Amino acid sequence: MLLVLLGTAVLLGWFGIGNFAHALTFPGRLTGAVLIVVAFTTLLAAGAVLDYWIRHSFQYSGLIVLIGVFAALLTNAMLLLRTLRSGDSVTFQALFGALVAGSAWAVFAVWRTSVTIPAPKRVAAALVVSSVLAVANFGYQNLYLPNRRQARPLITLSVGKAVPSKDRKAFAVPVDITIQNRADVGFYVLGTEFHAMGERVRLSPRDRLREQWRRDAQQWARSSGEINPLSRREIRQPGEMMEAKPWMSQGDWIESGDAFTTRAVVQVPVDTPYDQVAFYATAKLARKDQIVLDPPIEFVTTSWGGRDVASWVKDQQKSGQDSLVYRARVHENNAIDENTRDPRFVFVYWTFGRHGAGVQTSVTREGADESNKLSGQEQRELVSRYGLTDIAAGPVERTLWDIKSQR
């Protein structure tokens, strides 16, 4: 019984101090405070064990032992469920399993000794209330928070007046990109991209047939995320990328209430074959209250390089999508997950090709198989646990006539 109580006190004290000092959310800090209180209770109960079975100097030492082993049983059971649900460490799962079994045996062993309990109803009420509060906090931290409404910053695009070059052979089109964080949490910037697409648009002299509409729909269904512009008169071709580049530094962050604006300038030749230009901007973010990013986000390899990359990245490479791969270490937002889960890394895939550009992110443990893309359920779990957020703006379109009229 001493071994169970002392082991529980050490383990819960370690987790509790880590959570209380470093957790990123108030519920996480509250969990740390509760763990510290339980650790102190089990430590006190360990001292009461010696008095109850050896010295017999305190009348209610048995009651203290009973409260201590009951608190150890409840807390160890919740932590066991948590490690089984989201932990990777078999060692901690086995350790908590042993402590749960030992705590259950200790509760039964102490109860059989007919412990003297003053005001049994009050003591029972206190145990029930404390148990309900502990379970409620556990449920709030592990069930409610991961499923609450996701906060999302906002990206806006503003296309300025085109400026002709000195030789009148090109136009510089300024595009202002603004991100506003009106949420109550900050966000890490995992990756951003801005790209401009040139589009050819011909007009049919008469209404187009239904079969032609269907052919257009199938064509755009196979394209890389472009909006399907079905029209009775317009005959469009898939856009071609004119320019692509990041617009914020990877690893930076934007705090609650902040805004950031930058300007991208796209050079458009006068003799361009396109009829209009479409501008897009996207960002991949992670909530600062759900993840700790260990900067920098370093470049790792390319899809066409010699190092190994995920097979789905290679498949994109074969279909004309090149990729740049970046990686950074991430930490959990609480001490329990940080110690019971394997190290995780965020991977950022910056893909680009003739038909556009994009950024994809994934959080995986070290050495995990990244041969396949994540399933929908796995992606939702990532979004829930790490607060991964995708935001986008566009397309914002300008006709070449509008641009060339500045000449």
Side-chain angles (χ1 to χ4, degrees):
M1 192 175 297
L2 279 174
L3 184 62
V4 170
L5 290 172
L6 290 176
T8 299
V10 171
L11 196 57
L12 298 189
W14 178 40
F15 283 151
I17 293 173
N19 255 35
F20 187 75
H22 303 295
L24 301 181
T25 62
F26 174 75
R29 305 252 175 159
L30 181 60
T31 298
V34 171
L35 292 179
I36 292 174
V37 171
V38 175
F40 179 77
T41 302
T42 55
L43 188 62
L44 189 64
V49 166
L50 299 177
D51 183 82
Y52 185 60
W53 271 280
I54 299 176
R55 298 180 58 187
H56 307 287
S57 61
F58 183 56
Q59 180 181 1
Y60 299 119
S61 59
L63 175 61
I64 296 175
V65 175
L66 181 61
I67 293 174
V69 293
F70 178 79
L73 173 61
L74 181 64
T75 308
N76 287 328
M78 289 191 295
L79 290 176
L80 175 61
L81 290 175
R82 179 167 183 154
T83 55
L84 289 174
R85 176 175 176 267
S86 61
D88 302 311
S89 173
V90 177
T91 300
F92 277 104
Q93 292 174 359
L95 182 57
F96 281 121
L99 290 176
V100 167
S103 301
W105 167 82
V107 170
F108 178 73
V110 176
W111 185 261
R112 287 188 59 188
T113 61
S114 301
V115 175
T116 301
I117 303 177
K121 293 183 179 179
R122 293 183 179 180
V123 173
L127 290 176
V128 169
V129 170
S130 61
S131 300
V132 169
L133 291 176
V135 172
N137 179 67
F138 180 82
Y140 178 77
Q141 176 79 4
N142 294 275
L143 300 177
Y144 171 73
L145 284 182
N147 294 283
R148 66 181 176 178
R149 182 180 177 184
Q150 295 294 318
R152 295 171 62 87
L154 176 68
I155 296 178
T156 56
L157 288 175
S158 177
V159 182
K161 181 179 179 181
V163 178
S165 62
K166 291 182 178 181
D167 57 8
R168 300 288 175 170
K169 292 183 178 181
F171 292 88
V173 183
V175 183
D176 291 330
I177 310 169
T178 301
I179 180 171
Q180 294 177 306
N181 183 14
R182 298 173 181 173
D184 58 355
V185 296
F187 288 84
Y188 289 111
V189 178
L190 302 182
T192 61
E193 62 82 23
F194 164 82
H195 68 277
M197 302 290 292
E199 300 173 344
R200 295 181 176 90
V201 182
R202 294 186 294 111
L203 293 180
S204 172
R206 59 182 62 89
D207 288 353
R208 303 169 66 231
L209 300 177
R210 184 181 183 186
E211 289 74 14
Q212 294 174 317
W213 288 21
R214 288 179 174 177
R215 186 168 58 250
D216 285 351
Q218 292 176 343
Q219 182 182 23
W220 259 268
R222 294 189 294 267
S223 64
S224 57
E226 294 184 55
I227 295 177
N228 189 343
L230 292 179
S231 172
R232 294 174 62 182
R233 295 295 182 95
E234 292 183 352
I235 306 174
R236 298 198 181 198
Q237 300 297 318
E240 297 180 349
M241 190 175 70
M242 298 177 61
E243 186 170 348
K245 57 187 175 184
W247 52 274
M248 285 189 75
S249 298
Q250 298 180 140
D252 283 355
W253 56 87
I254 179 169
E255 297 291 357
S256 174
D258 284 353
F260 172 82
T261 300
T262 187
R263 170 169 289 187
V265 178
V266 179
Q267 302 292 333
V268 180
V270 171
D271 58 352
T272 181
Y274 307 116
D275 299 298
Q276 60 190 38
V277 181
F279 305 99
Y280 300 78
T282 63
K284 297 286 186 177
L285 311 173
R287 292 173 57 129
K288 289 186 68 178
D289 63 339
Q290 293 182 236
I291 193 174
V292 179
L293 183 65
D294 193 3
I297 301 180
E298 297 180 323
F299 172 73
V300 177
T301 186
T302 64
S303 58
W304 64 90
R307 296 185 58 176
D308 293 335
V309 295
S311 61
W312 62 267
V313 177
K314 284 291 188 183
D315 292 339
Q316 286 185 336
Q317 170 73 29
K318 294 176 183 178
S319 64
Q321 291 279 350
D322 295 328
S323 296
L324 304 176
V325 184
Y326 298 83
R327 189 184 79 163
R329 176 77 161 88
V330 297
H331 299 275
E332 307 290 337
N333 68 346
N334 64 86
I336 299 173
D337 288 340
E338 179 68 14
N339 290 283
T340 60
R341 290 170 61 83
D342 292 338
R344 254 66 175 180
F345 292 85
V346 60
F347 286 85
V348 180
Y349 301 93
W350 215 100
T351 63
F352 54 95
R354 181 178 180 182
H355 300 304
V359 175
Q360 302 177 68
T361 56
S362 174
V363 179
T364 59
R365 61 183 176 182
E366 188 174 18
D369 180 18
E370 283 198 89
S371 59
N372 299 310
K373 271 190 172 182
L374 295 176
S375 66
Q377 177 62 28
E378 291 172 329
Q379 188 64 36
R380 286 191 293 273
E381 290 177 358
L382 278 181
V383 171
S384 174
R385 170 171 289 277
Y386 298 110
L388 301 183
T389 304
D390 300 346
I391 54 176
V396 175
E397 297 180 328
R398 292 284 296 272
T399 65
L400 266 296
W401 174 257
D402 184 22
I403 294 175
K404 293 178 180 180
S405 66
Q406 310 296 329
R407 190 171 181 176

